[in-house]
Amino acid sequence: MADDTPRDSSGPSPALNAVDLDRLRALNRTKAMATGALVVSTATFLTARALQPQWPWLGYVAATAEAATIGGLADWYAVVALFKRPLGLPIPHTAIIPENQGRIAANLGRFIEQNFLDETTVRAKLAEVDFAAQVADWLVDPDRADGLARFVVRLTPQALQAIDHSGLRDFVAQRIVAELEKVQVAPLAAGVLNAFVEDGRHQRLFDELTRIVGRFLEDEAALGAMRERIRAELPSLFNLFKADAFLLNKIIGAASALLEEARVEPDHPIRLEFDAAVWGFIRRLKSSKLYARRAEEMKHDLLSRPEVRQMAGEMWDSLRTLLENDARSDASVIQRHLASLSVEVGRHLAADPVVRADMNQGFVTALSAFIESQKPGVSSFITEQVNRWDLRQLVQVIELNVGRDLQFIRFNGMIIGGLAGLALYTFQALVFRH
């Protein structure tokens, strides 16, 4: 009886791992058992047929063994025909798998694409995975968060260098200046001042101004200058009686008293006048075209000065130096804060089901779209890989996985054939009994 193990003269058998070796040994044992059963049934048939004239009842045994042998041979042929040509004969519709390798490859790729990678199936499978929870669990682990922060910090110098070489720095500076050019300064300033005044903070500014003026009136140098100016304006006769000192003391005393009154009285006329002046300035900023034009001119002049661009470059250089020095430090502040931020983000994510649901939906949408776009490529890849297998490998992979079950078809064929032969022989003996 010819062995039905697939053979290929093109080269040695592909290397097998431990699992495949176990499968091969089990397959060979099953083949040997099936072949042995076929030999036994054939020998039983020949022996029973030879002894039947002496013991007629052996006709039943012979008929059963004969039919079992035929059934076993037929199923042996069917199993072998899947993988090669039985006995090497060029029988049509044999070696089915090797002869149809291309069609099997194409159909397999198409089958996987249509039944495993369709959008509905993929989205349903992805929806079963809680991606957000996995991300949260990963982030809250301090060691992982520290590793992520260390990785980011390690890339910081290279990222900063790439920014300098890519021209991104100049591009960002140009975009910032362009966006600032679009900003209307007067309405913006009016809005800021309006919020400042509504909170009453301008009154604190008024208090500080009165203190500054008060300190000025107490300054010896300032008082000396004022006395000299008064002396220069008074007639000489008044100076003989030191009227300049008298007038100065009166002016300073009156001014100090007035400032003190304005500082302590919320409804003092000077304070109210200051309040009205500030509100009037805000209204003019909002409505005056002259103020708006002047503000735009000032903004344009400021942004066009080379000092502004130089200052932006110096700020970037300072920031870059700070980041690079911190990245090289063993006690990096950025790394510590990034690790803490990662843990905090993980905790908030774990505690917020709404955010997790939105995040999971985003993962499902993104991954399903990616799989949908790559689906034809997966099908083509599977087809190409199967087509590139040599026949020996293709047959071996299939036989190792399903060959043992196929060998049991031979047992079943012998059993069914034997029972059928026994039934037919019994029917014949009953109907055509002499």
Side-chain angles (χ1 to χ4, degrees), residues 138-157 323 326-327 331-347:
W138 196 93
L139 289 176
V140 296
D141 184 272
D143 293 335
R144 290 173 177 170
D146 187 66
L148 176 62
R150 191 183 309 111
F151 173 74
V152 173
V153 169
R154 192 182 300 118
L155 291 180
T156 299
L323 293 176
D326 183 85
S332 172
V333 176
I334 297 176
Q335 179 179 331
R336 185 171 66 253
H337 285 293
L338 280 177
S340 176
L341 177 63
S342 297
V343 173
E344 193 65 23
V345 168
R347 288 173 180 169

Side-chain angles (χ1 to χ4, degrees), residues 7 43 48 53 73 110 155 183 185 189 231 252 270 291 299 367 414 421:
R7 295 182 176 83
L73 286 172
R110 192 179 308 112
L155 291 180
V183 176
V185 178
R231 182 180 297 172
I252 295 300
I270 296 180
Y291 274 48
K299 178 193 71 175
L367 292 176
M414 293 172 64

Side-chain angles (χ1 to χ4, degrees), residues 228-304:
E228 290 297 329
R229 177 57 64 91
I230 293 173
R231 182 180 297 172
E233 296 295 333
L234 288 176
S236 299
L237 179 62
F238 285 90
N239 291 330
L240 293 176
F241 297 99
K242 297 184 178 180
D244 55 338
F246 176 78
L247 288 174
L248 179 62
N249 290 334
K250 288 295 182 180
I251 293 172
I252 295 300
S256 298
L258 182 63
L259 290 174
E260 183 63 25
E261 291 175 2
R263 188 161 52 245
V264 299
E265 295 180 12
D267 297 329
H268 193 277
I270 296 180
R271 186 181 292 274
L272 296 177
E273 187 66 25
F274 176 76
D275 189 75
V278 172
W279 280 112
F281 179 70
I282 292 174
R283 285 192 296 271
R284 286 192 292 274
L285 276 177
K286 290 181 178 179
S287 59
S288 174
K289 294 182 179 180
L290 177 62
Y291 274 48
R293 185 172 64 254
R294 289 179 177 175
E296 290 301 310
E297 290 173 354
M298 291 175 60
K299 178 193 71 175
H300 182 73
D301 292 341
L302 178 64
L303 294 177
S304 62

Side-chain angles (χ1 to χ4, degrees), residues 188-204:
L188 178 62
V192 173
L193 288 175
N194 190 80
F196 183 80
V197 172
E198 282 183 348
D199 291 343
R201 283 177 283 182
H202 69 299
Q203 294 296 344
R204 291 195 290 273

Side-chain angles (χ1 to χ4, degrees), residues 208-229:
E208 187 62 29
L209 289 174
T210 58
R211 291 189 184 94
I212 293 173
V213 175
R215 288 194 295 270
F216 174 78
L217 295 177
E218 294 173 358
D219 184 72
E220 292 295 334
L223 292 176
M226 291 175 64
R227 184 173 180 179
E228 290 297 329
R229 177 57 64 91

Side-chain angles (χ1 to χ4, degrees), residues 75-92:
D75 285 333
W76 167 82
Y77 174 87
V79 171
V80 173
L82 287 173
F83 304 105
K84 65 175 186 176
R85 300 191 182 280
L87 304 177
L89 300 175
I91 304 173

